[in-house]
Amino acid sequence: MKAAVLHTHASPPRFEDFPDPQPGPDEVLVHVRAASVKNVDKAMAAGSHYDSHRDLPVICGVDGLAVLEDGSRALCGGCRPPYGMMAERAAVSPAFCVPVPESVDDITAAALPNPALSSWLPLIWRARLKPGDTVLILGATGVAGKLAIQIAKHLGAGRVVAAGRNQRVLESLPTIGADATIALDQPDQALAAAFVREAGRKRFDVVLDYLWGRPTEVLLDALTGHDVMAESDSVRLVEIGDMAGPTITLSAATLRSSAIEIYGSGGGGIPHTAIFEVFPQLWALAASGKLRIDTEPVPLADIESAWQRRDLSGRRLVVIP
């Protein structure tokens, strides 16, 4: 079969032949219809993710939309190495197959879950979002950040402040629920002032952080010692991604003066039952047009060039075998 095969962490996967998977006793063979190219896929392929591929070659793709033996469609994942979902076929455990209703198309079903869950689950399980809370999103112009705006409003946020670098995308975010925007590509002093200004209008209750690195440092410095944050309720910052850097410098004064709580959100910190419970709501919102994701389908044969693209502007690439 044809697949996106990774031979080295220093190079993108290649379109080439790979032996067909042979299902084990608790696995089924599925025919893949679509698989999105996600940040986690790229991090694992680059060797920079905590769950990166160690033994190569492997097929990339942690999940994808597939057709099961009975003809039904499902979002499938959890392939046994060296297999993945960016291939014509995959062997998966039925326990990791989530039914997809006919009202949701293949491309959307493949693209939506990973970035949508990256905000939905932290908002509920880590940030303990309350109705009316103000949510600041760092990295709001990316695929996951744009979904986070919509999901925060759906879950009851009263105000959403969206911070990002892509000015064109940033200007469009009010149409999907952002109440205010902050451009991150400005000098630190100006950025800090913008954070303080927005927090002064209505204090931040929750921060969803897809960036980490310098933007997070500027935010934390901006909040340190300011009366606008000195209230009984804490600011709950949830670290989700590290697109701007893997580390930060955190002063003790920040923790002492700002009532900030810092959490992490990853695959190992939230019960699987909670994850599966969200899917019916995701599908319903997508089918009704209340949750929108911008996508671009590409042939599996073009995986090597597609993998290296940087011109996506908040769109999610979806590979079609």
Side-chain angles (χ1 to χ4, degrees), residues 1-4 15 30-36 59-60 63-67 84-90 106-107 110 297-303 318-321:
M1 68 175 181
K2 296 296 186 181
F15 176 69
V30 299
H31 295 269
V32 182
R33 297 251 287 255
S36 64
I59 297 174
C60 295
D63 57 37
L65 190 282
V67 176
M85 293 300 293
M86 292 185 191
E88 293 178 316
R89 290 173 288 282
D106 290 354
I107 303 298
V298 295
L300 178 60
D302 295 340
I303 186 61
V318 180
V319 173
I320 310 298

Side-chain angles (χ1 to χ4, degrees), residues 37-46 49 51 53 62-63 114:
V37 181
K38 301 171 287 297
N39 290 334
V40 64
D41 293 317
K42 290 190 173 183
M44 291 174 67
H49 192 268
D51 198 24
H53 303 297
V62 298
D63 57 37
N114 177 273

Side-chain angles (χ1 to χ4, degrees), residues 48-287:
S48 60
H49 192 268
Y50 55 79
D51 198 24
S52 289
H53 303 297
R54 301 303 175 193
D55 298 320
L56 304 178
V58 298
I59 297 174
C60 295
V62 298
D63 57 37
L65 190 282
V67 176
L68 307 184
E69 294 173 317
D70 63 2
S72 63
R73 296 183 311 144
L75 181 78
C76 301
C79 294
R80 170 173 40 87
Y83 292 95
M85 293 300 293
M86 292 185 191
E88 293 178 316
R89 290 173 288 282
V92 299
S93 167
F96 288 93
C97 292
V98 179
V100 176
E102 290 301 319
S103 55
V104 180
D105 65 87
D106 290 354
I107 303 298
T108 300
L112 181 65
N114 177 273
L117 291 172
S118 76
S119 58
W120 193 303
L121 296 172
L123 283 168
I124 298 299
W125 283 84
R126 289 288 182 264
R128 306 178 304 281
L129 182 73
K130 299 189 294 291
D133 276 353
T134 295
V135 178
L136 168 66
I137 300 170
L138 296 182
T141 53
V143 173
K146 289 166 64 178
L147 284 169
I149 295 168
Q150 301 170 69
I151 290 168
K153 280 299 184 75
H154 172 73
L155 294 177
R159 187 167 186 262
V160 174
V161 179
R165 290 187 180 279
N166 188 313
Q167 187 60 38
R168 185 179 65 80
V169 176
L170 201 64
E171 292 171 356
S172 72
L173 298 183
T175 65
I176 58 172
D179 298 287
T181 61
I182 296 174
L184 293 177
D185 57 346
Q186 54 184 315
D188 288 355
Q189 186 174 0
L191 178 57
F195 284 138
V196 171
R197 182 172 60 252
E198 290 302 332
R201 291 187 173 121
K202 193 173 188 302
R203 68 183 299 275
F204 303 139
D205 299 293
V206 174
V207 179
L208 294 183
D209 188 354
Y210 289 95
L211 300 179
W212 208 236
R214 189 59 185 158
T216 304
E217 291 181 339
V218 175
L219 171 67
L220 293 175
D221 287 345
L223 301 185
T224 300
H226 283 281
D227 290 341
V228 294
M229 306 306 295
E231 300 185 18
S232 58
D233 289 340
S234 62
V235 182
R236 290 95 71 194
L237 187 153
V238 187
E239 198 284 316
I240 302 170
D242 56 3
M243 298 301 292
T247 61
I248 66 168
T249 298
L250 176 64
S251 72
T254 297
L255 295 179
R256 292 200 307 266
S257 69
S258 303
I260 290 176
E261 300 176 2
I262 300 178
Y263 301 87
S265 181
I270 296 173
H272 282 173
T273 53
I275 297 173
F276 287 111
E277 288 171 358
V278 174
F279 277 102
Q281 300 176 71
L282 282 183
W283 301 143
L285 289 171

Side-chain angles (χ1 to χ4, degrees), residues 293-315:
I293 181 171
D294 295 322
T295 58
E296 181 181 336
V298 295
L300 178 60
D302 295 340
I303 186 61
E304 190 169 356
S305 60
W307 194 269
Q308 301 173 80
R309 285 182 53 185
R310 298 290 185 270
D311 59 339
L312 296 174
S313 297
R315 300 192 307 280

